[in-house]
Amino acid sequence: MDMLMIQEKINQVKKGDQSAYEDVVNHFQHRIYHHCYRMIGNVHEAEELAQEAFIRAYVNIHSFDNNRKFSTWLYRIATNVTIDRLRKKKPDFYLDAEIPHADGLDMYTQLPNDDRLPDEEVEGLELKRYIYQEISNLSPIYRTIIILRYLEEFSLKEISEILDIPLGTVKTRIHRARETLRKKLRNV
Amino acid sequence: MDCKEEAVDLMHTYLDGDITKEEEDTLRKHLEHCEDCQKHFHELNRTVTLLQTKDEMKAPKDFTKQVLQQLPAEKKHMKYTRWLRSHPILTAAAVFVLFFMGSLVSAWSEENKLVVSKEEHLIIEGDTVIVPEGETVSGDLVVKNGKLIIDGIVDGNVTLINSMLVEDIDETGLLASAGEVNGELKNVDQMFEWVWYNIKQTFHDVFSFKTIQ
Ligand SMILES: [Zn+2]
């Protein structure tokens, strides 16, 4: 579906057509779920939060301004829902490098391991996991911005819309986050 | 040039794609002479490259279904509207059938004179048929387009067509039937009314559909 089709579906949803929303959820489900997963680091919570985001979007669909991009609005809801959850967790939760993936549910350990991977790929996975770990160790504000910018490739302007903060603030935060990660990753 | 303040700021400006031609020249010239900044710049670029690792993840299989199940119920008329809109030929056929049935029904109900299958032992007052107390009506009794009060006994089946059984309400507010029916009591009009009600409802939805369009 292109943007015009999404816009049309949203108009139908606004008129009360729930089945049009099915297409919208189908279209965005993987991205929103992955976004929540990247931020929370746990598949169960990611599923719950992504569902919550879609439900909130539906309930508040009338506050969506058709002149704006729906995906941006949806990411904003998903981000807010997830940041709320992160804030309710113990503050040291995300500062501890070991805890977030101790349940073994992160995406890298989920990969099938019946085929033994060549050493290079194992190293690649280890590296990915390490990088993700370092992103997870950032506080929610910086983590969100790094995920949006580098893992999801949003422009700085789009990020300022998703997070509803000025462009200058986005830049300041992204600079700080890059510096933090530079120190963590320079010996990799 | 101050490394920490200016040079590093320019590196980030560069990484954000905001750097001007002059700024880029300034940065390049500085990097040629400053090893610390070269290292810093290299690390930053490498960090960005490392962060840009692609991966994909899919939502669980029944994700959409789960979401839809949790949505608040949509307004009823929308379901009809959507159905009607997505089935234009069936809708045309349905509208025809409804009009056809509607005219049948109204033809039927125009014939609304009281009809009673027998008159023996009965009192008839306007559209009300009374089985008086102490009387016994033997055989089946059919009442159409009227009201029936049974104070006595009907020794057979009672069929009410488009009619109502009037029951006395005693002081306790409970329905109490003074008389008795020694057969089956069939109430055709309940079903009839139900059908009629539904047709009227559907008509209503059809028309509101038209006004929505
Ligand atoms: Zn320098």
Side-chain angles (χ1 to χ4, degrees):
Chain A
M1 279 202 291
D2 59 17
M3 242 185 92
L4 276 176
M5 277 176 78
I6 292 291
Q7 216 62 271
E8 176 54 32
K9 293 284 174 193
I10 298 304
N11 286 337
Q12 282 171 258
V13 176
K14 280 190 173 178
K15 284 178 191 161
D17 185 351
Q18 209 169 77
S19 80
Y21 198 60
E22 185 174 352
D23 299 330
V24 175
V25 179
N26 266 328
H27 185 72
F28 289 106
Q29 57 172 335
H30 304 301
R31 275 187 272 169
I32 293 298
Y33 171 74
H34 201 175
H35 178 68
C36 293
Y37 175 77
R38 280 165 166 149
M39 289 185 59
I40 202 96
N42 168 303
V43 288
H44 297 305
E45 279 183 292
E47 183 177 3
E48 201 185 302
L49 292 165
Q51 282 181 12
E52 171 77 26
F54 279 109
I55 294 164
R56 281 204 203 174
Y58 178 83
V59 172
N60 297 299
I61 197 76
H62 292 284
S63 68
F64 169 66
D65 173 3
N66 283 32
N67 298 317
R68 305 185 72 176
K69 215 174 159 187
F70 181 74
S71 61
T72 307
W73 189 70
L74 190 58
Y75 268 95
R76 182 161 158 186
I77 294 172
T79 305
N80 288 342
V81 166
T82 312
I83 287 182
D84 277 355
R85 176 69 64 90
L86 286 167
R87 283 186 180 145
K88 279 175 197 155
K89 288 178 181 289
K90 278 184 282 173
D92 61 341
F93 182 85
Y94 48 80
L95 295 174
D96 188 328
E98 300 308 316
I99 293 171
H101 302 295
D103 59 1
L105 282 168
D106 70 288
M107 63 179 135
Y108 305 120
T109 53
Q110 268 190 324
L111 291 168
N113 52 3
D114 22 308
D115 300 311
R116 297 198 63 188
L117 296 169
D119 287 350
E120 282 167 37
E121 283 185 43
V122 172
E123 275 171 31
L125 278 180
E126 287 296 316
L127 179 61
K128 264 191 177 184
R129 198 194 305 232
Y130 183 77
I131 293 163
Y132 184 72
Q133 197 66 73
E134 290 304 337
I135 296 171
S136 305
N137 291 342
L138 297 170
S139 69
I141 284 174
Y142 296 112
R143 184 193 320 178
T144 307
I145 229 155
I146 286 294
I147 289 171
L148 288 169
R149 182 71 188 102
Y150 292 111
L151 281 66
E152 291 162 355
E153 299 178 321
F154 282 101
S155 71
L156 296 175
K157 194 174 168 297
E158 283 170 320
I159 294 172
S160 105
E161 282 169 23
I162 290 170
L163 300 177
D164 198 23
I165 52 174
L167 192 58
T169 311
V170 174
K171 286 179 186 172
T172 311
R173 287 184 185 174
I174 217 160
H175 295 186
R176 282 193 199 145
R178 271 195 302 244
E179 283 300 328
T180 307
L181 288 171
R182 179 186 67 87
K183 287 169 201 153
K184 300 279 185 185
L185 300 177
R186 69 176 144 201
N187 298 319
V188 172
Chain B
M1 182 189 242
D2 176 43
C3 298
K4 267 215 163 134
E5 290 299 319
E6 289 172 68
V8 173
D9 269 1
L10 282 179
M11 291 176 204
H12 285 287
T13 311
Y14 168 83
L15 290 172
D16 288 341
D18 289 339
I19 203 156
T20 64
K21 192 85 188 67
E22 293 91 64
E23 285 171 332
E24 207 179 331
D25 287 343
T26 312
L27 178 62
R28 192 184 302 119
K29 273 175 196 153
H30 180 77
L31 290 175
E32 279 167 16
H33 304 112
C34 179
E35 253 180 64
D36 284 353
C37 281
Q38 267 178 37
K39 187 166 172 278
H40 195 118
F41 192 51
H42 171 76
E43 284 170 4
L44 273 178
N45 274 306
R46 186 153 179 280
T47 300
V48 168
T49 310
L50 286 173
L51 290 175
Q52 280 166 330
T53 353
K54 288 262 176 186
D55 54 24
E56 277 193 21
M57 202 176 181
K58 291 208 160 190
K61 255 187 181 163
D62 57 347
F63 184 88
T64 302
K65 204 178 124 203
Q66 297 270 350
V67 169
L68 292 174
Q69 275 170 357
Q70 294 174 70
L71 296 182
E74 71 176 325
K75 284 171 193 140
K76 226 177 192 166
H77 81 261
M78 200 56 215
K79 283 184 185 162
Y80 285 110
T81 310
R82 185 171 64 240
W83 188 88
L84 296 169
R85 196 190 286 148
S86 54
H87 301 85
I89 294 166
L90 279 178
T91 303
V95 169
F96 174 76
V97 168
L98 287 174
F99 275 114
F100 180 66
M101 277 173 74
S103 54
L104 265 188
V105 165
S106 48
W108 198 89
S109 54
E110 264 161 27
E111 202 190 40
N112 57 1
K113 276 180 284 176
L114 173 70
V115 182
V116 189
S117 60
K118 56 173 73 189
E119 286 179 26
E120 274 171 89
H121 310 294
L122 294 174
I123 300 169
I124 297 169
E125 288 173 354
D127 65 345
T128 306
V129 180
I130 303 164
V131 180
E133 208 176 335
E135 289 285 353
T136 301
V137 177
S138 44
D140 295 347
L141 177 65
V142 179
V143 178
K144 192 172 158 185
N145 303 324
K147 289 178 196 131
L148 176 66
I149 298 172
I150 306 173
D151 288 331
I153 295 162
V154 178
D155 200 7
N157 298 326
V158 173
T159 304
L160 300 166
I161 302 169
N162 198 28
S163 300
M164 212 171 99
L165 181 67
V166 179
E167 289 174 285
D168 297 323
I169 296 171
D170 68 12
E171 307 86 59
T172 64
L174 295 170
L175 287 172
S177 192
E180 59 179 284
V181 177
N182 295 328
E184 242 184 280
L185 180 72
K186 265 195 284 182
N187 207 334
V188 176
D189 91 332
Q190 271 181 2
M191 180 146 54
F192 173 76
E193 280 211 351
W194 184 82
V195 171
W196 179 225
Y197 174 75
N198 278 283
I199 288 171
K200 278 196 291 192
Q201 277 302 105
T202 315
F203 262 117
H204 179 262
D205 288 322
V206 169
F207 289 126
S208 62
F209 162 65
K210 279 181 179 168
T211 55
I212 284 166
Q213 288 304 68

